[in-house]
Structure formats: C-alpha cells, structure tokens
Amino acid sequence: MSAPNSRQLVAGMVGGGPGADIGKTHRYAMRLDGHYDLRAGIFGRDRSNSRQVAVELGVAADRNYADVAEMAAAEAAREDGVDVVVIATPNDSHFQLAKAFLEKGISVVCEKPLTQDSATAAELVRVADQNHAILAVPHCYSAYAMVRQAARMVRNGELGAIRFVDVEHASGWAATPLEELGHKQAGWRTNPDIAGFPSVVGDLGTHAFHLLRYITGLEAERLSGRLQTFVPNRRVFDNATVELELTGNVPARLWASMAATGHNHGLRIRVYGEKGSLEWQHEDPHHLKVQDLAGATTILTHGLSTLHDDASRLTRVGLGHPEGFLEAFANFYSDLAEALSARRDSMPLPERDLSFPTGIDGLVGVQFVEAVAASHHDDSAWKVPAFALEKAVA
C-alpha cells in the first residue's frame, strides 16, 4: 500500500494493452489530478506485449507480472503494494480477476458489466465487504458536472414529482458487421461466449440504466424488454428496447443500440416532472437544458457560479472552457481516491450521496441485464428484477 497520508495512491492494471482504448482512458484519467501512480500490471495476455507496454509506462520489470495470482500475492505482500487494481479486460474474465485481488484485500475498479451473471456479481460484492476492500464500477457518465447538477436538481425536488424518464444509449458504431473484418472490439463484443447473448444490454444498456438511477434516485420495480439483431448473421443482440416502471409507478423508457445507423455516441436522458423537465446529452456534456411549465428554456453551463456544489466541485477550469470524457473519468477517480485514501489512513469515509458507482451498482446492472433477457424470452412479459425482489423481501 502507498505510504500513510501521502498524496498519491499506488495503482495496478490488468488488461489495457495494445489496441485497448479503455485501458488508455483509465490511465489518462488517473494521471489528470495526480492522485495515482501506476506501478504494477499485466497489460495483456501476450507476455511480450505486456512487457513492452510496461516499459512504455515506466512499470518496473519485477512488477510486470506473468499471471494474476502472482500479482495479487506479490502486491499484497509488499509494503508499497498497490492500493487499487483496474480490471480492463473482456467481460468473461472479470469475476476471476477481480476476486483474486479482493480476496487479498486489494481494492478493485472493474469495467462493466461487473460479471456475466448476478450470482458471481453478488459474490464479488460479498468478497469486497468481507475483506474491507472497495469495489467500484466506472459508470463514468455519472461523473460529469452537469449530470451531478441534474441529479441534485431532481433529488431536491426542483422538477417536482417525476412523471416520466426517457434514456437512450443508441450508438451506430457497429451498424455494419465489423466483427467480420477483424475489428478487435467488435470481435469480442459480438461473441456470446465473452459478451453474453444480450451483449448490447450489458455493454450500453447498463450505462443508460445507471444514468437513469443516478439522476432520478429511483429504482426499477418491473420491466418489459425486447431484443433484436439488426446486422445479419450477428451472433448477439445489438438492439434493445425496455419499458420500465420505476419507484412510485413512474414510467420510463430505455433504448440501447450498437446499430443505430449514423449515431455517434448516442447517450441522452430526459426527465419530466410536474414543474419542469431537463435534458442532458453526452455529445454536449457541458450544457444542461431545463424547461419550465410554460416551455421557457434555460441552458445551464458547466462552470456557472450558480450551480449546485455537487457540480461545482468537479469543475477544473472556468466558465466557457468545456470539459469532456477524460475529465469525467478523472472525476470518478478523484471521488474514488477520497475513499481509498480514507481507507488507507484509517480516516472516516467522505459522506457524499452523489459519488462514484460501487459494486452494488455493478450488481444491479447485471441483474438488469438478466431481467431484460428473461422478459425477452417470455415475449416481453413484465419481470421484477432481482434487486426489486430483494428490496421487497427486506
């Protein structure tokens, strides 16, 4: 572990080697605010490639490991061992990798979906709790300043009672059969053995669902889902539409697609209340559109002095200087650093109701995927997700 009361935390990574853009994104984000020093890792399954990446990143040869069991044991035994390990690998490997570190008391950031089924996701949550480790899932869209502004406005009742929520993560990145052309990301994301057959729900739908939950503070009481495959011969579903009933009988709609022809990233949420509505789009992330009953539109901008503190504390530069995806990722890592440092230094955890997504959020995401798949299998019959059932029993 890093030295007590020091500013920097020691980080490790599994995955994120050549061609893995998400690995680079994690590394850029960790560097931005200077909270982390990447000192250990396994940067891909190919040993030669992993060594090359380690050299490029300045990771010492004795901390560029051959396998996860070796890395977890060695880092747990070091006085200067890692505080947290990032798992940036395909879906089918998440459970075993994350568990290896959590069992050693090492905190983990695991890409979504957390695992391929809710039983293993719940096991990771249990193991993290048992070993007093932090398990975080980078649903980093929740770390945009204007998403935090939206969440605070909704939770403060500024829109009044919520009447309807519409969220979509409809991208056109795989509107053609990229997997047949050797595209690395498309190759595993359209492989049902790796990504699961409802691939689009785990890959994009979980982001949209988490954004809905984060901004509104509401949970899905039941849902009805339908899955489609738009690209011929594709082995997974690449489009999903889900109707939801949220806490308090609030209706909602979710659309997730990797085949929304012509769309870029395609993440958008609209929340309608009795007093007004708001809209946020990922491709214009530094603006939040708010409309009142009369239809008058106010555009709130990242950096305004009148924003809630939940948004203002995430602002690095002044009004008129937009911040984007890497900064949002860095906000996730800054919030996480507060918790990791408190754990390391035996200090009280910071009390924030709007902070980073945890293993519980990851578990809820996996349960959401399972409920959508079950509904589709039963001709879009309404299903009660496991998290709603557990809440009802409790």
Side-chain angles (χ1 to χ4, degrees), residues 87 89-95 98 110-118 120-121 124 136-139 188-189 194-196 198-207 359 361-370:
I87 307 298
T89 60
N91 304 357
D92 61 333
S93 62
H94 289 177
F95 174 66
C110 184
E111 269 296 332
K112 55 82 204 135
L114 184 56
T115 64
Q116 291 186 298
D117 61 78
S118 58
T120 51
L124 287 186
V137 178
H139 286 298
W188 74 259
R189 292 179 194 275
I194 298 175
S199 174
V200 68
V201 187
D203 192 29
L204 302 180
T206 53
H207 275 315
D361 295 295
L363 170 59
V364 168
V366 175
Q367 292 172 331
F368 168 71
V369 176
E370 290 179 340

Side-chain angles (χ1 to χ4, degrees), residues 197 209 219-227 241-247 250 252 364 366-390 392:
F197 73 91
F209 185 56
E219 298 287 359
E221 301 289 348
R222 62 179 190 149
L223 59 80
S224 168
R226 184 169 295 279
L227 304 172
T241 51
V242 186
E243 186 177 357
L244 306 108
E245 189 174 282
L246 307 178
T247 311
V250 175
V364 168
V366 175
Q367 292 172 331
F368 168 71
V369 176
E370 290 179 340
V372 172
S375 173
H376 171 78
H377 182 267
D378 289 346
D379 196 25
S380 301
W382 284 94
K383 298 291 181 180
V384 178
F387 51 84
L389 283 171
E390 291 160 4

